[in-house]
Structure formats: C-alpha cells, structure tokens
Amino acid sequence: LPSEAAICSNYGVSPMTVRRAINMLLDQGLVTTIKGRGTFVRALELGRTTFALDELQALFNDKKHSKVQLLRTSIVPASRDLSRTMGILPGAKVIYMRRLLLKDEEPILCHEEHLIYDPARPIVEAEMDVTSLHGLFSGTEDTDIKKGLLVIRSTSLNDEDAALLKVQPASPAFRLEHTFYDFDDQPVSFGYFICSAEKLKFSARVGIWD
C-alpha cells in the first residue's frame, strides 16, 4: 500500500482517518504490516484451503430421501495391499461389504469396505448401514471410531460400478477413500466411495467473505 503520507496527500484525508482504515483492514485480515517496510496486501493462501464435503454430508444426513442397499457381505482373506493398509497379516480374515447408496431411488454412490474380523467386536447396526462415515459427519452414531483419514482421488468407473450407477463405463469419477481408527489408534476399516464426477461437487471459499 502507499504510505500514510502519500494517501493523505493524494486523497485529502487526515492521518488519523488513514490509520483507522488500515486498522480495519488489519482486523479483517486483508493486509499485513512489516515494521520498517510498510503495509502490504495479504496474498490468498491457497495451500491452506479446505474443500468441504457438504453435498456428501447432506446425502448421509438425509434419511428421508436417501437409503443404503447392501449388495454383498462375506468373510475374505486380506490381500497383501490391504494387509499393509490395515496393519494385519496377509490372508487374515476381514469382513467385506459392498453397498449402493441411493437418493430418491437414483443410484449415487458405490461403497466397498473391508473391516477387521474380530468375533469379540460384533458388527453393529451402524456398520451394516453406512459405517462410521455417517458418524464422523453427524456426530450422532454410537461407534468405537476415534478418527478417520479421507483421501480423494480422480478415477474412471469400471464396468461393474458403471452398471450400478447407470452411467457409461470409463466415465470420470471421484473415489473417496477412508481409513478409520479405533481409540487404540489401530485401523479397523478401509474402503472407498465412488461416484460419477457429475454427481458430486467440491467447493471452497478463499479470501475474505462477508
């Protein structure tokens, strides 16, 4: 920004008015001051931008229009890749689930998940529904999940997922991977949601919004 003296000279305002205006800009986070150098407009920090999952959260919370269809469930041996992700031995028993999420009877998301097989920890109703992701979004589910890691990747739909979602195979899609941890910080499940790119939008606001 120009110096206080330059602003006063160019616009005919008092130094007190200029300082008050700069303080207002500082309070709003629009500018920053460096002692001995002056006042500078603050750059947008895109690296700290957070993209909200509002549309996905709305789908999980809309119990009136959304529903979950359980397509498949079985006990299977963990693959080598899955064993590394979940911190278990290759071939260890895991519970496999595959679901389809619908809104107003229209397929929106395919969900595939693997859960640690533990006879002492029975599959609760929440896991047979939409698992702990709903609990993380709403904060209302009674689960033993402490935290989760979500990773969004771009991909294309394979034939099976495309048929379930009623779109063309190889259509662009989003894949939302999730790993959930218990209160001992041990992985208890790994899976992913996948949907056509046109069905889900991620948005973020940057800068100062009134």
Side-chain angles (χ1 to χ4, degrees):
L1 293 177
S3 67
E4 290 186 17
I7 295 175
C8 293
S9 175
N10 293 337
Y11 296 97
V13 295
S14 68
M16 184 176 295
T17 300
V18 174
R19 282 192 290 272
R20 185 182 299 116
I22 291 176
N23 286 335
M24 291 174 63
L25 294 174
L26 284 168
D27 291 341
Q28 295 178 24
L30 294 174
V31 298
T32 183
T33 59
I34 300 177
K35 188 174 181 179
R37 295 184 58 189
T39 303
F40 301 88
V41 176
R42 184 184 294 273
L44 294 178
E45 297 182 357
L46 298 181
R48 297 184 179 180
T49 301
T50 300
F51 285 83
L53 298 175
D54 294 339
E55 292 190 14
L56 189 58
Q57 181 176 357
L59 175 65
F60 278 83
N61 290 339
D62 186 0
K63 295 185 178 181
K64 181 177 180 180
H65 299 94
S66 301
K67 68 177 183 180
V68 178
Q69 181 179 347
L70 184 61
L71 303 177
R72 194 180 312 153
T73 180
S74 59
I75 298 176
V76 299
S79 66
R80 189 170 298 276
D81 289 342
L82 184 64
S83 67
R84 285 196 295 265
T85 300
M86 301 185 71
I88 57 179
L89 294 174
K93 292 182 179 180
V94 292
I95 301 169
Y96 169 76
M97 294 184 184
R98 185 165 175 80
R99 307 174 178 86
L100 182 64
L101 283 74
L102 305 98
K103 182 174 183 180
D104 295 324
E105 303 302 325
E106 179 184 0
I108 302 294
L109 293 167
C110 291
H111 182 221
E112 186 169 299
E113 181 180 31
H114 290 87
L115 299 158
I116 294 289
Y117 176 75
D118 183 356
R121 180 189 290 164
I123 302 173
V124 297
E125 184 177 354
E127 290 174 329
M128 294 296 290
D129 184 13
V130 290
T131 74
S132 49
L133 185 60
H134 176 77
L136 286 183
F137 280 146
S138 66
T140 59
E141 290 292 350
D142 182 17
T143 70
D144 58 354
I145 300 301
K146 174 184 177 182
K147 60 185 180 181
L149 175 66
L150 305 179
V151 178
I152 299 173
R153 304 182 190 276
S154 60
T155 186
S156 57
L157 294 173
N158 59 33
D159 292 347
E160 183 179 1
D161 289 337
L164 288 171
L165 296 174
K166 299 181 179 179
V167 297
Q168 291 295 320
S171 296
F174 287 118
R175 174 180 164 122
L176 176 61
E177 298 177 358
H178 62 78
T179 307
F180 293 118
Y181 299 82
D182 61 19
F183 283 86
D184 294 323
D185 293 326
Q186 298 300 311
V188 294
S189 73
F190 170 78
Y192 65 87
F193 294 84
I194 191 167
C195 73
S196 172
E198 63 184 27
K199 296 292 185 181
L200 192 60
K201 179 179 65 178
F202 300 96
S203 59
R205 291 184 173 188
V206 297
I208 305 299
W209 287 72
D210 295 329

